Amino acid sequence: MHRIGLLRRLALAVAGTTALAIPVALAPSASAATPVTWHVRVGAESPDMAVSAMAFLPKEVWVDAGDTVHWTSGSAEPHTVTFLAPGTSLPPLNPFDPTQVTRQGGTTEDGTAYTNSGIMATQPIFTFTDPATSYDLTFPTTGSFTYYCLVHGEMMSGTVHVRAAGTPYPYTQQDYDRVGTAQAQADLAAGRDAWRASKQAHATTGHSVEVGIDGDGFSVMRFVRDHVVVHVGDTVSFTTMGEAPHTVTFGQEPPIPALFGPSGDPAHYAGGDLNSGLLAPGVPFSVTFTATGTFHYICAIHDGMGMVGDVLVEP
């Protein structure tokens, strides 16, 4: 396929960017005499970890049979690199299923079996104390192989296109790096814009808190309006609208697996332990405060990334 056409296809993956600054050659790159290792980043994040890019960077690569793809974790937000077995569908995330959260399969991918990196992240997060930071697979046969992040499902997929050994490469690694960087910058910028807009929209809404923000290619790992002032007897509603998993947890975190279910009495909260469990999109977790004080809360999944807040209750 013509190189210019391929570059345009990669450019389409970077919505909102106006100049990718990728040099376009008039002829394909030379083929390699020996197998090549290609590099793909798994997610990206802002320096404060508030915004995550939910993407494989870049989303598509073109390699030759015998080449290897090396994935490197780019964020504290956990991801997987998962190739499904033929005839199977993408499962919902089950953090207690070892086939989802630990490495599965061998070191090659030919489209005939399930292979999975297990949880990848740049630092321990939630219950994953030793996440993988990189993952390698060699592709011995031709074809197009689609893979997913099991944590984020359909919103985060990628494809490895494998051609016959000796086929000239349409891109260089530098091309992929430029496209991946542009895509990450666009996703993070979109997340920051969404966060800013949500803050403005909720600036005067004293009794509601938006829990995270999900968009096309990004997630904001913050409570919007993370400091709320109310009075005794008032109710604060915490709501998430996206697919990223979050909790609202006051006091001591319940042990696993109790953390995933609700505990405590949100209708009469005067302090102590209270947990929403995993929030369902669009279903508010409402807490009525019956005592004065400052009550700190966290998302038990993303508190290590800075997802914390407090409610000041006045008389």
Side-chain angles (χ1 to χ4, degrees), residues 36-178:
V36 175
T37 296
W38 301 89
H39 297 264
V40 176
R41 282 186 294 158
V42 182
E45 64 188 9
S46 59
D48 60 359
M49 296 186 287
V51 183
S52 291
M54 302 300 192
F56 297 106
L57 306 165
K59 183 173 182 176
E60 298 182 85
V61 293
W62 282 260
V63 308
D64 285 3
D67 287 354
T68 297
V69 178
H70 175 83
W71 288 270
T72 303
S73 182
S75 69
E77 174 68 5
H79 300 292
T80 73
V81 173
T82 306
F83 293 81
L84 301 176
T88 62
S89 58
L90 187 64
L93 176 66
N94 179 357
F96 304 109
D97 183 352
T99 67
Q100 293 193 21
V101 298
T102 62
R103 181 166 180 157
Q104 306 291 315
T107 59
T108 62
E109 170 58 38
D110 60 6
T112 63
Y114 176 78
T115 54
N116 181 28
S117 66
I119 293 295
M120 298 181 65
T122 56
Q123 65 180 38
I125 182 169
F126 192 40
T127 61
F128 309 112
T129 58
D130 190 25
T133 56
S134 64
Y135 182 56
D136 292 78
L137 285 175
T138 298
F139 292 81
T141 58
T142 60
S144 290
F145 304 94
T146 297
Y147 60 97
Y148 299 91
C149 169
L150 292 180
V151 180
H152 301 104
E154 294 282 356
M155 73 178 290
M156 188 169 173
S157 66
T159 304
V160 179
H161 303 280
V162 185
R163 290 94 55 77
T167 303
Y169 297 115
Y171 293 137
T172 66
Q173 181 65 54
Q174 288 73 24
D175 291 333
Y176 289 131
D177 292 344
R178 290 187 183 96

Side-chain angles (χ1 to χ4, degrees), residues 190-283:
R192 287 191 293 270
D193 289 345
W195 189 17
R196 186 180 304 109
S198 186
K199 282 182 176 180
Q200 293 174 350
H202 292 82
T204 59
T205 307
H207 294 176
S208 66
V209 174
E210 187 175 6
V211 182
I213 307 169
D214 285 357
D216 185 11
F218 69 84
S219 281
V220 177
M221 304 302 182
R222 289 293 186 271
F223 295 101
V224 179
R225 295 182 67 250
D226 55 6
H227 176 71
V228 178
V229 180
V230 297
H231 297 279
V232 171
D234 286 346
T235 298
V236 177
S237 293
F238 301 85
T239 307
T240 184
M241 300 305 296
E243 296 299 323
H246 297 295
T247 75
V248 175
T249 305
F250 292 83
Q252 188 69 31
E253 295 180 34
I256 301 296
L259 178 63
F260 294 105
S263 58
D265 181 9
H268 306 87
Y269 184 67
D273 299 339
L274 177 65
N275 181 51
S276 65
L278 288 181
L279 294 171
V283 179

